[in-house]
Amino acid sequence: MNRLRARHLLPPLLLALCSILNAAGSDSPATTIWVEGENPAVNRMNRHPWWYDQVKRDQLSGGDFISNFSKDKPGEAEYLFNAPKGGEYEFWVRANPVQTRLSYTLNGGAETLIDLNREMRDEVNIAADNKVDLRFIAWSRVGKVTLREGRNSILFRMTSANNNHGYLDCFVFSTEPFEPRGILKPAEIAAAQAAEASANQEWFSFDPKPDPFGPQSAIDLRFLNEKFAGENGFIGVKNGHFIHTGNGQPVRFWAVNGPPGQLNGDDLRQCARMLAKRGVNMLRMQTGCFDANGDVDMTGVKHAIEIVEAMKTEGIYTHFSIYFPVSLSPKPGTPWLPGYDGQTKSFAALMFNPDFQAKYRSWWTALLTTPSPATGKPLIDEPALAGVEMQNEDSLFFWTFNADAIPDPEMRMIERQFGGWLVKRYGSLDAAFAKWNGLKAKRDNPQEGRVSFRPLWNMCNEKTARDQDTAQFLLETQARFYADTYGFLRRLGFRGAITASNWITASPEVLGPLEKLSYTVGDFIDRHGYFDCDEKGPNAAWSVREGETYADRSALRFDPAEPGQPRQFVNPVMDPHYAGKPSMISETTFNRPNRFRSEAPLYYAAYGALQDSDAIIHFALDADDWTVKPGFFMQPWTLASPAMMGQFPAAALIYRRGLVTTGPVLAEVNLNTEDLFHLKGTPLPQDAALDELRLKDVPQGSDIKPGQRLDPLLHYAGRANVNFVTTPGSVKAADLGELISHERQTVASATGELKLDYGKGLLVIDAASAQGASGALASAGLVRTRDLVISSDMPLGHIVAVSLDGLPIATSRRILLQVMSEEKASGFQTEDVSPGVKRITSIGHDPWLVKKLRGTVAFNRPDARSFRVTALDLNGYPAASAGTADHIELQPETMYYLIDRAGNPQALSSR
């Protein structure tokens, strides 16, 4: 039945309104048709009598909307509008995206379901009481549609499973790409941007146009990737590095966590192209391919396969993480996980509950053996699937392993296992308790064969005989799960690289090496690490909200987590290699809204290359475009920002091409496994904070005695290896006196290519093919590298030149010059709370702002004047001439420059 009817009922006033909006739009290059949802020609909506419509109407276009909330009746609204010209239009709706189902019928055509979560912008909680329930509104891009000249008709239907609920605030058709911004219409957006520019005269808008991915972009690094992921075979491991098994060549991964939302089809392929352009060659996907009951979710499986195949086409490998305890809260009566209440998370249970392990293996079986709908090939035969992770962020050595976090039936299970382990070790539980001098714990029940676990704090600090046995039992339990799972995945047919987990422990010094030892059953060692900014608030661990506090914090200065405290010498970039295996950090970033966040890309690239890190996976790609707030909650990790992905081109080149040379091994630590069971720990703990006061006690020479710490600054000078041995433990450390000066507050790499002045907060990169300065440029004065002279009064800035043709900068024919300062969201505002601490009063909105760029760069080579400089736009395309390379005056709004003899940017894809 044709639901588009009663067109003669269109109120004359409404038709006039549509015509006026069109007329206004027709004077500009773009034609934009904006229709208010509250003004339908035909209204068959069923509004809720009170709660659902209690919203903030000042957040709605025109101050109103149309809604439906009825158990039995779908909602329908029909609209007529005029198009001044026929043709293709972008179609957007501002509607409720939460558990809703909205479809449309255009001009009597087929009914089409709108994926409201596919490409969503500006999600807002409009509940009048601010409660987090169903009352949200957001812009969603529907796609492209064809309108006919003159009168058009459209019918919307709301048919959600939850009371057919839905909102429609307004909808837009535009002949040009439409960038929504709340309730502002295009002309109002321009006025608002002008007002913001006036209020932020030291900043410019980072708002790139849609990228056509043409051949003239000088920042397009697609050429770094293979023609397709897996072109040279599966990813394997050899001599401590990832390799392409087809040709034996080593490979480093500059990677992201993603993709955002529920991208599919062309949008997913477009996302892959955007990532490849910026030097990404791996995507870590956290895919829960199970439903709320723990059963296989085939929709999720098929979507995961689609993602692998889309990334493959752009030379991007995929790494799977399928299980995170936070994502599973077993319901009461779950036979394979008894004792849960539907709220408690499944921490630790996977490592000792065999029924849970069987269910978990069914997820892997479905994911890896289901034939692709497109190719018929299962993922076990797909070399573009580089690796898999057994579990995400869980450990028997972390604080979540305790009887308050784990239900009683599960605790009883592992307590019985511990009791059985002790009987095998000592002959009886009585003998075990005698060995422990009678030390008991609260949940001990020898009559039932159960022995419980002392708190991890007591274990790490008291280190009794009981604690030492506990540590060995937990290690063997955890390692056995990893070994069994590794064997299962290999028997299933998986041929890529496998890792165990990536989590921290209750004590980096004492339990950290045991955690890493359990990982050695896998092919490589993974970890997570974030550089936060003392975010505080009820939900600050995973969102940025008004009312929360934070502190700006520089990694280049080793600023402490809490303002006013001594420097802390710990950072996620510090990367000792364990057991001769490749090293990955699969989640890392510098958190928002720290103004020093812009230090991150060059920091990771330079020191990752120096330490020979094998994979750096940035967290997280929550949008496939440059939006400040992809979802309702502004996340602290948003990666598609000018300070982060905006600096990927030079950073990816430095890291992936090894433009900073790998340093020598400066420390070789051999940890005896029996010593680890005796809780003697390690002199080189990972992720352990060491403040400036304790650093004074670190030995300065190569003579390291038992119980002493190695200087963590060695990671900024070269490499460190940690091995697990059955022979006596030992430490071999180079004398770092020539490289590290605590008095001058400087660290130089053993290669001579990196110099960090952590007193100022300045990193100078001086390699043959990558040179620049990052951090407190204003305090640095004139920075001279072997081929550059840099001067800038930016208090926080990053200027780096990288060779594009693989030659040293002294002889290179094509060079990329990349410049960055700092970022913030438009409208972002704070107030001072205490010294160094700020409270967020407005989280801001699109677009991103970048502090204007200032300075000069001169190339110190005889032919510098013959090299022309081309200023590039934000997508890397030629914008204007910027002189010659002997003196480059940085333009306030230009982040990228191409320097070549021809002065004519060419495609890089041929290189």
Side-chain angles (χ1 to χ4, degrees):
M1 181 181 73
N2 184 359
R3 296 186 177 88
L4 294 174
R5 55 185 179 271
R7 294 181 182 172
H8 62 283
L9 297 178
L10 178 68
L13 178 61
L14 178 59
L15 183 57
L17 175 63
C18 292
S19 299
I20 291 170
L21 290 175
N22 266 340
S26 63
D27 291 335
S28 63
T31 297
T32 302
I33 305 168
W34 185 297
V35 182
E36 296 293 344
E38 62 268 24
N39 295 318
V42 177
N43 185 344
R44 290 185 289 275
M45 294 290 181
N46 312 281
R47 306 189 84 146
H48 193 278
W50 54 279
W51 164 76
Y52 191 60
D53 278 14
Q54 298 300 307
V55 298
K56 302 170 187 173
R57 298 191 178 261
D58 63 344
Q59 299 282 339
L60 300 172
S61 175
D64 203 356
F65 65 173
I66 201 165
S67 70
N68 192 74
F69 196 102
S70 170
K71 181 178 180 181
D72 303 316
K73 299 177 182 178
E76 292 186 350
E78 182 183 338
Y79 302 81
L80 300 182
F81 60 93
N82 281 332
K85 59 182 180 181
E88 188 175 74
Y89 286 72
E90 263 200 8
F91 179 22
W92 289 75
V93 297
R94 193 166 192 246
N96 189 334
V98 181
Q99 300 178 21
T100 54
R101 182 181 169 90
L102 181 68
S103 60
Y104 72 94
T105 301
L106 179 63
N107 289 327
E111 183 175 2
T112 303
L113 182 66
I114 300 172
D115 184 350
L116 293 169
N117 293 294
R118 188 191 70 172
E119 194 169 338
M120 187 170 60
R121 302 285 184 276
D122 290 342
E123 188 177 9
V124 179
N125 183 351
I126 59 172
D129 54 10
N130 291 316
K131 290 184 177 179
V132 179
D133 47 40
L134 296 177
R135 292 171 291 173
F136 284 74
I137 203 82
W139 283 101
S140 296
R141 182 176 179 272
V142 183
K144 293 184 177 180
V145 297
T146 300
L147 301 182
R148 55 198 182 201
E149 183 176 352
R151 184 173 294 186
N152 291 262
S153 59
I154 190 167
L155 175 81
F156 290 97
R157 296 193 76 228
M158 299 177 184
T159 57
S160 74
N162 187 348
N163 290 283
N164 294 295
H165 86 93
Y167 294 153
L168 181 62
D169 181 27
C170 57
F171 56 96
V172 167
F173 300 96
S174 177
T175 56
E176 296 290 331
F178 175 69
E179 293 295 331
R181 183 168 158 188
I183 63 176
L184 299 181
K185 297 180 174 67
E188 296 168 333
I189 292 174
Q193 288 174 337
E196 284 179 355
S198 177
N200 293 278
Q201 294 185 19
E202 288 300 308
W203 301 75
F204 70 92
S205 295
F206 181 89
D207 195 14
K209 296 178 181 179
D211 195 338
F213 298 107
Q216 295 298 315
S217 176
I219 65 169
D220 192 344
L221 304 185
R222 173 63 178 88
F223 71 96
L224 289 179
N225 295 356
E226 297 166 289
K227 293 178 181 177
F228 54 89
E231 178 187 8
N232 293 299
F234 286 84
I235 297 299
V237 170
K238 184 178 180 181
N239 297 328
H241 296 294
F242 294 118
I243 63 164
H244 297 290
T245 56
N247 60 15
Q249 292 299 306
V251 56
R252 284 177 178 167
F253 292 109
W254 184 260
V256 302
N257 283 268
Q262 297 299 314
L263 291 183
N264 53 39
D266 290 342
D267 294 326
L268 185 58
R269 289 185 285 274
Q270 180 92 346
C271 177
R273 182 67 182 90
M274 179 267 290
L275 292 172
K277 176 171 181 172
R278 284 164 179 81
V280 170
N281 61 338
M282 175 181 277
L283 178 134
R284 175 177 180 256
M285 181 186 178
Q286 291 182 287
T287 172
C289 50
F290 52 86
D291 60 21
N293 296 317
D295 296 325
V296 170
D297 174 13
M298 289 307 299
T299 299
V301 168
K302 292 175 182 177
H303 187 231
I305 294 171
E306 182 186 14
I307 290 171
V308 172
E309 293 172 345
M311 295 296 142
K312 174 181 179 176
T313 62
E314 297 297 339
I316 298 173
Y317 287 85
T318 302
H319 177 58
F320 275 150
S321 170
I322 74 162
Y323 170 67
F324 182 23
V326 171
S327 66
L328 181 63
S329 300
K331 296 178 180 179
T334 299
W336 41 276
L337 268 177
Y340 286 85
D341 57 5
Q343 302 295 322
T344 303
K345 307 302 180 184
S346 54
F347 292 116
L350 181 60
M351 287 174 279
F352 60 81
N353 182 325
D355 292 336
F356 186 10
Q357 292 170 5
K359 175 63 74 171
Y360 160 86
R361 290 183 177 189
S362 73
W363 306 335
W364 280 119
T365 301
L367 180 62
L368 296 178
T369 65
T370 297
S372 163
T375 68
K377 182 167 66 175
L379 290 178
I380 54 171
D381 295 328
E382 177 52 78
L385 179 57
V388 298
E389 166 193 298
M390 298 185 210
Q391 67 172 347
N392 182 56
E393 294 190 352
D394 200 10
S395 170
L396 298 178
F397 297 110
F398 188 63
W399 301 111
T400 46
F401 180 65
N402 69 77
D404 293 329
I406 301 170
D408 181 68
E410 304 301 317
M411 285 304 302
R412 287 171 177 264
M413 183 182 301
I414 192 170
E415 288 165 354
R416 283 192 294 271
Q417 292 172 7
F418 189 25
W421 185 88
L422 290 167
V423 169
K424 184 180 293 187
R425 183 176 180 85
Y426 294 110
S428 69
L429 292 184
D430 287 340
F433 282 111
K435 182 71 173 179
W436 298 345
N437 295 320
L439 181 61
K440 297 289 183 68
K442 181 179 178 180
R443 287 179 55 93
D444 288 343
N445 192 325
Q447 292 77 21
E448 295 183 6
R450 293 191 292 108
V451 180
S452 63
F453 304 91
R454 280 166 37 92
L456 293 175
W457 186 93
N458 297 83
M459 285 179 56
C460 297
N461 288 276
E462 297 170 9
K463 303 178 183 179
T464 66
R466 175 174 182 149
D467 298 329
Q468 295 172 29
D469 280 343
T470 300
Q472 184 169 350
F473 166 75
L474 294 178
L475 179 281
E476 291 179 6
T477 300
Q478 186 163 295
R480 181 170 55 251
F481 163 69
Y482 291 140
D484 291 347
T485 303
Y486 185 95
F488 161 74
L489 290 168
R490 291 300 184 211
R491 292 190 298 273
L492 196 63
F494 182 68
R495 286 178 275 176
I498 303 172
T499 193
S501 189
N502 40 44
W503 202 212
I504 58 177
T505 67
S507 169
E509 296 89 347
V510 177
L511 301 179
L514 289 167
E515 182 77 8
K516 293 297 193 294
L517 177 59
S518 76
Y519 295 173
T520 58
V521 301
D523 297 314
F524 63 97
I525 308 297
D526 190 13
R527 62 194 175 90
H528 288 174
Y530 291 82
F531 189 74
D532 62 33
C533 51
D534 198 33
E535 307 100 311
K536 291 181 179 176
N539 303 287
W542 54 275
S543 64
V544 178
R545 306 193 195 188
E546 286 152 6
E548 294 176 352
T549 62
Y550 75 98
D552 290 322
R553 182 185 180 203
S554 169
L556 292 171
R557 295 193 308 237
F558 296 105
D559 286 347
E562 184 178 342
Q565 298 302 308
R567 284 186 172 90
Q568 284 188 327
F569 294 93
V570 61
N571 190 279
V573 81
M574 298 177 176
D575 188 21
H577 287 228
Y578 291 88
K581 293 178 180 288
S583 172
M584 170 187 284
I585 182 165
S586 63
E587 286 186 19
T588 192
T589 197
F590 286 21
N591 288 3
R592 299 168 65 188
N594 182 5
R595 65 179 287 252
F596 293 98
R597 190 178 192 229
S598 58
E599 295 174 347
L602 293 179
Y603 198 95
Y604 282 119
Y607 286 112
L610 175 73
Q611 297 173 94
D612 209 10
S613 301
D614 295 282
I616 299 173
I617 309 184
H618 303 267
F619 198 89
L621 189 71
D622 53 357
D624 61 334
D625 60 5
W626 306 97
T627 184
V628 164
K629 188 171 77 71
F632 167 66
F633 294 116
M634 181 179 282
Q635 293 190 355
W637 319 290
T638 296
L639 189 55
S641 79
M644 298 300 287
M645 284 186 63
Q647 293 189 88
F648 269 23
L653 282 164
I654 289 171
Y655 175 72
R656 290 185 58 187
R657 280 191 156 179
L659 302 188
V660 167
T661 307
T662 295
V665 175
L666 301 178
E668 192 86 30
V669 180
N670 296 310
L671 299 176
N672 176 270
T673 53
E674 287 297 323
D675 287 346
L676 296 182
F677 297 150
H678 294 155
L679 303 176
K680 293 184 179 180
T682 175
L684 191 64
Q686 195 163 27
D687 305 320
L690 186 71
D691 66 38
E692 203 161 22
L693 300 176
R694 293 175 61 199
L695 187 66
K696 295 176 182 179
D697 300 324
V698 169
Q700 298 303 300
S702 58
D703 185 19
I704 308 297
K705 296 180 175 60
Q708 289 183 322
R709 287 277 298 272
L710 286 168
D711 192 334
L713 292 177
L714 72 86
H715 299 293
Y716 294 80
R719 291 185 289 148
N721 290 336
V722 180
N723 306 301
F724 300 103
V725 299
T726 56
T727 54
S730 63
V731 177
K732 295 179 182 179
D735 189 338
L736 303 176
E738 296 297 318
L739 302 175
I740 300 173
S741 173
H742 299 150
E743 182 180 358
R744 294 192 301 272
Q745 299 180 324
T746 59
V747 188
S749 68
T751 62
E753 295 178 348
L754 302 178
K755 296 181 177 65
L756 173 62
D757 183 334
Y758 62 85
K760 292 179 179 177
L762 178 71
L763 170 64
V764 175
I765 302 172
D766 193 9
S769 300
Q771 298 169 33
S774 173
L777 299 184
S779 65
L782 208 63
V783 176
R784 296 182 182 273
T785 65
R786 59 183 85 180
D787 300 305
L788 300 181
V789 180
I790 299 170
S791 176
S792 174
D793 65 352
M794 290 190 288
L796 176 60
H798 318 280
I799 301 172
V800 63
V802 293
S803 167
L804 292 172
D805 56 15
L807 298 173
I809 286 177
T811 57
S812 174
R813 295 182 296 271
R814 292 175 60 81
I815 300 167
L816 172 67
L817 177 64
Q818 179 176 287
V819 188
M820 174 49 59
S821 54
E822 56 188 282
E823 69 181 18
K824 69 175 182 178
S826 295
F828 180 78
Q829 295 180 358
T830 65
E831 61 185 11
D832 292 337
V833 175
S834 59
V837 178
K838 299 176 182 179
R839 178 181 291 111
I840 300 170
T841 58
S842 173
I843 61 173
H845 52 77
D846 287 331
W848 288 103
L849 297 179
V850 174
K851 202 161 193 178
K852 287 185 177 178
L853 309 167
R854 301 188 303 272
T856 61
V857 177
F859 280 75
N860 185 23
R861 48 187 282 185
D863 57 353
R865 293 193 65 182
S866 67
F867 275 70
R868 297 185 180 180
V869 181
T870 303
L872 309 174
D873 69 13
L874 297 177
N875 288 317
Y877 298 99
S881 173
T884 56
D886 59 315
H887 181 84
I888 305 169
E889 191 76 31
L890 299 180
Q891 299 179 5
E893 301 183 13
T894 296
M895 289 173 51
Y896 311 111
Y897 301 83
L898 178 68
I899 298 156
D900 69 352
R901 192 178 296 276
N904 181 27
Q906 300 291 325
L908 294 179
S909 56
S910 62
R911 287 176 168 78

